[in-house]
Amino acid sequence: MTVTEQTLALFGGIAVVLTVASLIGLLLQRRYAAEGPNAVIDNLNSRIKAWWVMVCVISIAFAFGKAGVIVLFAFASFAALREFMTLLPTRRGDHYALGAAFFVVLPLQYYLVWIEWYGLYSIFIPVYAFLLLPIVAALRGDTTNFMRRVAEVQWALMICVFCISHVPALLTLPIPDYEGRQVLLIAFLVLVVQSSDVLQYVWGKLLGSRKIAPLLSPSKTVEGFVGGVASASLIGAALWWITPFAPWQAGIMALIINLMGFLGGLVMSAIKRDRGVKDWGHMIEGHGGMLDRLDSVIFAAPIFFHITRYWWTI
């Protein structure tokens, strides 16, 4: 199949799955409507509606090719960084550093991805931005909690910009016999990670009893983790036809990014608990904020990018 046929087949399959999920949600709502509002069913339907919107947005971005994908994830980084910064107790002395993060580092990182300068975009934030930000903050002369304030801004950039930018960076990988199809690698990554999140939720609701990290995320269970990661890894193996991987390789790649996604979710939950909030924001109905939806992708994207680059590129 051509890349257009593969993309249409993929999104057609997603539309079928979402249609079935919408019908199930509608039936459940009608079945239990007489008993009053049901928080679980209402949340499920909100998530399904939000998924329709997200799939439409991603489809439009894919239709515009490289430019559409980079603009989409640059916006996602901006929204995520804004949510992260909102939870930080910043001071007047941080304003220049924050301005540099939003309006210099973020657009420059995505510009480097656009021009495919791997040697610089792979180190720009962890080297140059990490050195620039404390210099900018120090010039304001505010030494109160200096180390903590600088580290929080650096950590926000690492999570919200550096890690997320590795999703569109997949477009830059020169993979033999896969030219022009790299956008499908993004679809593979997003689908596998997000299906793992959904299936961990479903398995946890069906069989979950043993908490896996009650202090970080009370809803995560051992049964949900095992069932979700295993199911999503099988889905990844079944999607081998949109990747440069063999079926067993796609399954292993899916397992790796599912594990990284789960661990990333735990880290992001720890940050939320530290800040005393349940969600990062309210941008996406049923899902919370942008970071609530991307927390698994954040940790999976750089690992997926570098494994693919090391083993499959020329």
Side-chain angles (χ1 to χ4, degrees):
M1 287 193 290
T2 66
V3 63
T4 302
E5 291 170 339
Q6 284 182 315
T7 305
L8 290 175
L10 180 65
F11 279 94
I14 295 171
V16 170
V17 171
L18 286 177
T19 300
V20 172
S22 299
L23 291 173
I24 292 174
L26 182 62
L27 290 173
L28 288 173
Q29 189 176 38
R30 290 187 174 180
R31 169 68 178 79
Y32 295 101
E35 301 174 9
N38 185 303
V40 174
I41 296 174
D42 292 343
N43 182 262
L44 174 66
N45 286 326
S46 295
R47 285 171 178 254
I48 294 170
K49 290 176 184 174
W51 266 111
W52 274 111
V53 175
M54 287 189 282
V55 169
C56 289
V57 171
I58 292 174
S59 303
I60 294 170
F62 277 21
F64 283 92
K66 179 180 175 182
V69 173
I70 288 180
V71 169
L72 173 64
F73 284 96
F75 170 77
S77 278
F78 186 90
L81 189 60
R82 182 177 177 275
E83 288 176 353
F84 200 110
M85 293 301 185
T86 301
L87 298 183
L88 299 183
T90 55
R91 297 167 57 86
R92 183 183 295 272
D94 298 320
H95 288 180
Y96 285 175
L98 294 176
F102 275 101
F103 303 112
V104 177
V105 177
L106 189 156
L108 192 49
Q109 173 71 7
Y110 279 91
Y111 174 71
L112 294 173
V113 172
W114 169 261
I115 63 174
E116 304 185 12
W117 191 351
Y118 170 79
L120 190 52
Y121 74 66
S122 62
I123 62 170
F124 173 60
I125 288 178
V127 176
Y128 296 102
F130 271 40
L131 294 175
L132 170 68
L133 291 174
I135 292 172
V136 172
L139 291 176
R140 294 300 304 270
D142 184 353
T143 59
T144 303
N145 296 320
F146 182 80
M147 285 287 289
R148 178 182 61 76
R149 288 163 36 218
V150 169
E152 287 175 339
V153 177
Q154 289 173 325
W155 185 232
L157 271 179
M158 177 61 76
I159 288 176
C160 303
V161 182
F162 182 76
C163 290
I164 294 177
S165 72
H166 279 73
V167 180
L170 289 166
L171 296 174
T172 70
L173 294 179
I175 301 172
D177 301 324
Y178 197 68
E179 292 82 3
R181 299 172 186 263
Q182 289 88 341
V183 71
L184 294 172
L185 276 178
I186 295 177
F188 176 81
L189 170 66
V190 174
L191 275 175
V192 169
V193 173
Q194 298 299 334
S195 64
S196 178
D197 282 354
V198 173
L199 290 167
Q200 285 180 45
Y201 176 81
V202 172
W203 281 107
K205 289 294 181 185
L206 292 175
L207 303 174
S209 59
R210 291 173 290 180
K211 306 291 185 186
I212 198 168
L215 297 179
L216 296 180
S217 184
S219 63
K220 293 185 185 299
T221 64
V222 174
E223 294 81 1
F225 165 70
V226 174
V229 169
S231 303
S233 297
L234 290 175
I235 291 175
L239 290 172
W240 64 272
W241 55 278
I242 64 169
T243 73
F245 317 134
W248 66 272
Q249 292 170 334
I252 292 176
M253 290 292 267
L255 176 61
I256 293 172
I257 59 181
N258 285 332
L259 292 175
M260 289 306 302
F262 174 79
L263 296 172
L266 286 184
V267 172
M268 299 302 284
S269 292
I271 297 174
K272 286 190 290 186
R273 298 294 174 268
D274 176 58
R275 297 299 169 186
V277 298
K278 180 179 180 297
D279 296 320
W280 287 98
H282 307 283
M283 184 176 181
I284 307 172
E285 183 181 1
H287 294 255
M290 180 66 74
L291 277 170
D292 292 291
R293 196 60 276 137
L294 289 177
D295 57 359
S296 301
V297 176
I298 285 169
F299 278 64
I303 303 301
F304 180 63
F305 174 90
H306 286 290
I307 292 177
T308 305
R309 183 178 182 277
Y310 185 82
W311 291 104
W312 276 274
T313 61
I314 53 178

